[in-house]
């Protein structure tokens, strides 16, 4: 297990000016034991943005221990790659399968990290090169990503090297960042050989479907057979041009180590709604979260785990907001009867009773108000499907329409009434 004696400096791109500042330092004197402290220079400059409102509130002068991730703080774990990036770094640096998260934080580059943090060994913040945009050659990136995923030889050496250098973005599927027009940055995710369905298309349809239902879903673009593979392009919400935005995952907010210990009591939409309130997000964000929970239930996205939700700092409003929905993909194999996160205390099952049991925690004044919202949302989701169904072949159109119809009956309560 890795032990370091020299501090690791944590840098933040200021949400107001875009200037990079040293926000604090991380120190690990013993294996599995780490501490974060806000930098004196950060305090002296009158800056007070907390990089994690739940676990690292702005407390000047305090060494805050890390209780999870083998001594790495939650928000720093957020800045690490997940399964895909970790696999690339293990190959590149010959890391063991059991390498601690700190290894990945140090080995991953700053160019492509999620959120507004960077790390380094110097007390001064990094220069502008950390803002280098991703690759614009979409088809070539898709082709090389597929080759990487399937452990095939390099096709284009420069692109392969670039993909390894930018292995910081989270998620399990192969992906890379591409710079688009107007300073936008997009995640590109290709179809891979082991997919049991056209996953990029299913993700695009689900994201478009959620938006058509009146929910805040990340923008996507579908690319058929790009670089020989279908691919989906997803707009990054943690970037606006060269400005990076502070982000914190729901895993961090819920203090739920993921992947890791199976703390299912912490995988909870109502608890996440409470954390949104404590972080200062407005009530409409809690209601939006309720809507996404219901959309996941209807479309059958049971991969709604705690790393597939996040908050992002809005500099104009000077507060944290629920990030747009991302990684929403209907289960391609079967119609789920439960979600990954609790709909209400102790209830993972997709049912109207489970959905409404903790309605007050989402900001509704009463169960009646929540039920009215739910019924209206189900109508919008039904209408939204008609707007996106043209993307699907007839088989998948039938599968998702049948799933939609079944779950609307379940969540509208008609199933319970018919059973009496």
């Amino acid at each position: 297990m890795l032990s370091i004696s020299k501090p690791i400096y944590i840098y933040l791109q200021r949400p107001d000016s875009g200037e990079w500042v040293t926000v604090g330092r991380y120190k690990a004197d013993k294996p599995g034991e780490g501490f974060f402290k806000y930098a004196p220079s950060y305090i002296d400059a009158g800056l007070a943005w907390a990089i994690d409102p739940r676990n690292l509130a702005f407390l000047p002068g305090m060494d805050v221990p890390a209780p999870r991730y083998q001594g790495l703080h939650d928000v720093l774990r957020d800045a690490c790659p997940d399964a895909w990036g970790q696999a690339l770094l293990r190959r590149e640096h010959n890391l063991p399968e059991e390498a601690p998260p700190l290894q990945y934080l140090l080995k991953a580059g700053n160019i492509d990290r999620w959120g507004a943090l960077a790390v380094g060994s110097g007390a001064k913040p990094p220069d502008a090169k950390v803002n280098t945009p991703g690759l614009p050659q979409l088809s070539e990136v898709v082709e090389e990503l597929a080759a990487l995923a399937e452990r095939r030889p390099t096709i284009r050496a420069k692109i392969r090297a670039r993909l390894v250098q930018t292995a910081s973005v989270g998620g399990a599927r192969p992906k890379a960042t591409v710079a688009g027009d107007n300073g936008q940055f997009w995640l590109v995710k290709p179809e891979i050989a082991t997919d049991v369905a056209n996953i990029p298309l299913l993700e695009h349809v689900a994201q478009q479907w959620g938006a058509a239902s009146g929910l805040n879903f990340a923008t996507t673009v579908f690319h058929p057979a790009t670089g020989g593979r279908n691919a989906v392009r997803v707009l990054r919400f943690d970037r606006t041009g060269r400005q990076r935005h502070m982000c914190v995952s729901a895993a961090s907010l819920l203090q739920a180590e993921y992947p890791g210990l199976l703390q299912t009591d912490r995988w909870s939409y109502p608890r996440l709604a409470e954390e949104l309130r404590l972080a200062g997000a407005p009530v409409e964000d809690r209601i939006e979260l309720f809507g996404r929970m219901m959309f996941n239930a209807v479309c059958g996205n049971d991969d709604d785990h705690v790393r597939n939700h996040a908050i992002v700092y809005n500099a104009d409003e000077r507060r944290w907001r629920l990030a747009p929905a991302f990684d929403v993909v209907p289960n391609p194999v079967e119609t789920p009867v439960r979600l990954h996160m609790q709909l209400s205390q102790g209830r993972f099952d997709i049912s109207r009773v489970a959905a409404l049991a903790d309605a007050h925690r989402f900001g509704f004044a009463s169960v009646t108000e929540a039920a009215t919202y739910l019924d209206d949302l189900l109508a919008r989701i039904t209408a939204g499907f008609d707007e996106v169904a043209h993307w699907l072949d007839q088989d998948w159109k039938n599968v998702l329409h049948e799933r939609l119809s079944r779950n609307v009956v379940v969540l509208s309560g008609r199933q319970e009434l018919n059973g009496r």
Side-chain angles (χ1 to χ4, degrees):
M1 191 174 293
L2 184 68
S3 177
I4 59 174
S5 56
K6 293 183 179 180
I8 297 171
Y9 293 94
I10 311 301
Y11 318 114
L12 168 69
Q13 190 177 25
R14 291 179 53 161
D16 56 350
S17 67
E19 174 191 4
W20 283 94
V21 295
T22 301
V23 67
R25 66 103 177 98
Y26 171 86
K27 196 87 160 36
D29 293 324
K30 299 178 182 178
E33 183 178 271
F35 297 87
F36 175 86
K37 185 177 183 179
Y38 282 99
S41 60
Y42 185 75
I43 299 164
D44 293 344
L47 306 179
W49 292 288
I51 59 175
D52 178 346
R54 181 66 173 91
N55 304 289
L56 287 175
F58 183 64
L59 299 171
M62 286 191 62
D63 265 314
V64 182
R68 287 169 289 281
Y69 299 114
Q70 300 178 51
L72 190 66
H73 294 79
D74 298 79
V75 72
L76 298 182
R77 169 60 184 86
D78 286 346
C80 294
D82 286 326
W84 167 249
Q86 289 178 14
L88 291 186
L89 292 175
R90 282 197 299 271
R91 289 189 224 171
E92 181 72 10
H93 299 282
N94 196 30
L95 297 176
E97 287 281 344
E98 65 276 10
L102 179 56
Q103 284 272 25
Y104 296 113
L105 180 73
L106 297 175
K107 297 296 185 184
N110 287 319
I111 294 174
D112 211 31
R113 288 195 195 277
W114 186 64
L117 299 181
V119 304
S121 58
K124 292 184 178 180
D127 58 34
K129 70 181 180 182
V130 296
N131 288 314
T132 302
L135 292 167
Q137 305 103 313
L138 180 65
S139 62
E140 296 174 359
V141 170
V142 167
E143 191 177 13
E144 197 66 45
L145 277 172
L148 258 174
E150 295 159 16
R151 293 182 173 270
R152 291 189 278 111
T154 299
I155 301 170
R156 295 174 179 84
K158 288 185 178 179
I159 293 180
R160 175 69 65 100
R162 178 70 170 181
L163 292 177
V164 174
Q165 290 169 4
T166 57
S168 302
V169 178
R173 293 184 64 83
K175 59 180 61 66
T177 299
V178 171
D181 299 330
N182 304 318
Q184 294 177 326
F185 289 85
W186 302 80
L187 278 182
V188 176
K189 297 190 279 187
E191 189 174 17
I192 57 177
T194 55
D195 285 345
V196 297
N198 188 344
I199 300 299
L201 179 60
L202 285 180
E203 180 171 353
H204 174 66
V205 168
Q207 294 286 143
Q208 297 287 316
W209 185 6
S213 303
L215 299 170
N216 182 19
F217 275 50
T219 301
T220 59
V221 177
F222 179 66
H223 296 272
T226 298
R229 304 294 179 100
N230 295 309
V232 64
R233 181 159 49 103
V234 186
L235 185 64
R236 289 185 64 162
F237 57 79
D238 65 330
R239 300 282 189 274
T240 301
R242 292 185 174 269
Q243 177 66 54
R244 304 182 181 204
H245 306 300
M246 290 192 292
C247 295
V248 178
S249 72
S252 294
L253 292 175
L254 294 170
Q255 299 179 330
E257 191 166 355
Y258 186 94
L261 300 175
L262 299 180
Q263 299 170 305
T264 55
D265 61 312
R266 293 187 176 274
W267 304 347
S268 164
Y269 282 104
R271 288 192 70 247
L272 181 55
E274 290 284 353
E275 293 298 336
L276 290 176
R277 181 182 63 82
L278 293 173
V283 67
E284 53 260 37
D285 283 7
R286 286 186 277 157
I287 293 175
E288 165 78 17
L289 180 65
F290 179 87
R292 292 182 196 177
M293 176 178 76
M294 294 294 88
F295 182 85
N296 286 333
V298 171
C299 80
N301 172 38
D302 59 346
D303 192 36
D304 57 324
H305 59 73
V306 290
R307 287 208 172 276
N308 278 344
H309 306 274
I311 57 173
V312 58
Y313 187 78
N314 186 306
D316 293 334
E317 298 180 15
R318 298 182 181 181
R319 62 178 171 178
W320 293 94
R321 297 297 306 267
L322 179 65
F326 59 96
D327 280 358
V328 177
V329 184
N331 187 313
V333 177
E334 61 185 359
T335 296
V337 296
R338 52 188 281 131
L339 295 180
H340 205 95
M341 290 174 58
Q342 296 177 44
L343 288 78
S344 55
Q345 187 172 0
R347 300 282 302 261
F348 294 87
D349 56 302
I350 296 174
S351 70
R352 187 176 180 89
V353 172
L356 296 175
D358 285 339
H360 64 284
R361 300 178 73 178
F362 293 93
F364 294 106
S366 64
V367 173
T368 300
E369 182 183 18
T372 299
Y373 173 87
L374 174 56
D375 291 336
D376 176 68
L377 177 64
L378 292 175
R380 287 188 278 128
I381 293 174
T382 300
F385 181 74
D386 293 336
E387 295 184 32
V388 302
H390 67 276
W391 285 100
L392 301 165
D393 62 28
Q394 193 58 52
D395 287 344
W396 268 106
K397 194 179 297 185
N398 292 341
V399 167
L400 290 185
H401 186 269
E402 182 180 348
R403 185 178 296 181
L404 163 68
S405 300
R406 174 194 177 280
N407 285 328
V408 165
V409 169
V410 170
L411 292 169
S412 66
R414 294 200 295 270
Q415 186 181 60
E416 287 86 347
L417 289 173
N418 292 337
R420 289 181 181 176

